[in-house]
Amino acid sequence: MHHKQNKKHKNIIIAVAICASALLLSCTDNRVFHAYKSVDANAWNKQDIVEFTVDSLQATANYQEAIGIRINNDYPFTTLNIIVEQTVYPSKQHFNDTIDCRLIDEDGQKIGRGQSLWLTIHHLRDIQLTSKDSLVINLRHNMRREMLEGVTDIGVIIEKK
């Protein structure tokens, strides 16, 4: 009898776990890619490319791309100019963008969320992609300084619209 109760209890736990998993998976999170990479702790060299690879997409849809930037108190400018080069595979469609990201307001205050590191998100582009497309996205700074202090991480966020 004790064995049957343990088995029944175990089955109930499994059923609850399956239901909870199904509930979590059914939430409508449109984010299909979200990744950050650290740049050199001392300074981001203008020649250093930060590369992101987005694996095969599940659905044909319109997507919204954004760049996330984390800075610390060492960042010396109000904006960050980033060159974005991306290739869509298998079509080999190529996009080049230059975005100017405001990081510090007119009063000298950091924009974004944080206390010792500040995160800002900047819209890159809306793009139509098809099922099974993949992307390679390369980011590099385009500031006058060869070595850029204060940028700690840079990321790419892609969401289905």
Side-chain angles (χ1 to χ4, degrees), residues 18-158:
I18 289 171
C19 289
S21 297
L23 184 61
L24 288 174
L25 292 175
S26 68
C27 293
T28 56
D29 183 11
N30 292 331
R31 191 167 286 173
V32 296
F33 185 81
H34 184 204
Y36 281 82
K37 292 188 177 178
S38 296
V39 297
D40 190 309
N42 297 320
W44 186 9
N45 187 313
K46 194 171 193 170
Q47 305 307 314
D48 289 345
I49 295 172
V50 181
E51 182 176 287
F52 296 88
T53 301
V54 181
D55 293 331
S56 182
L57 296 169
Q58 299 298 315
T60 297
N62 289 315
Y63 293 89
Q64 182 174 341
E65 298 176 315
I67 303 298
I69 302 165
R70 284 191 190 105
I71 62 168
N72 62 27
N73 281 325
D74 296 333
Y75 191 73
F77 303 109
T78 57
T79 62
L80 173 59
N81 191 272
I82 299 177
I83 295 174
V84 182
E85 298 171 333
Q86 58 183 316
T87 305
V88 180
Y89 291 97
S91 68
K92 295 189 181 174
Q93 186 176 14
H94 194 74
F95 298 98
N96 287 324
D97 294 289
T98 302
I99 60 172
D100 197 38
C101 307
R102 178 160 294 284
L103 304 176
I104 299 173
D105 68 18
E106 298 80 25
D107 297 325
Q109 300 299 311
K110 306 282 189 295
I111 297 172
R113 299 184 313 258
Q115 291 182 358
S116 61
L117 292 176
W118 288 266
L119 172 65
T120 55
I121 307 294
H122 306 272
H123 180 263
L124 175 58
R125 71 168 40 240
D126 293 338
I127 186 170
Q128 169 75 36
L129 298 168
T130 59
S131 168
K132 309 257 190 289
D133 277 353
S134 61
L135 296 162
V136 174
I137 302 170
N138 292 315
L139 308 174
R140 61 186 166 90
H141 81 79
N142 191 35
M143 302 298 283
R144 287 193 176 140
R145 284 190 186 174
E146 192 71 25
M147 301 298 285
L148 186 61
E149 304 84 18
V151 177
T152 61
D153 304 278
I154 191 151
V156 172
I157 303 152
I158 302 175

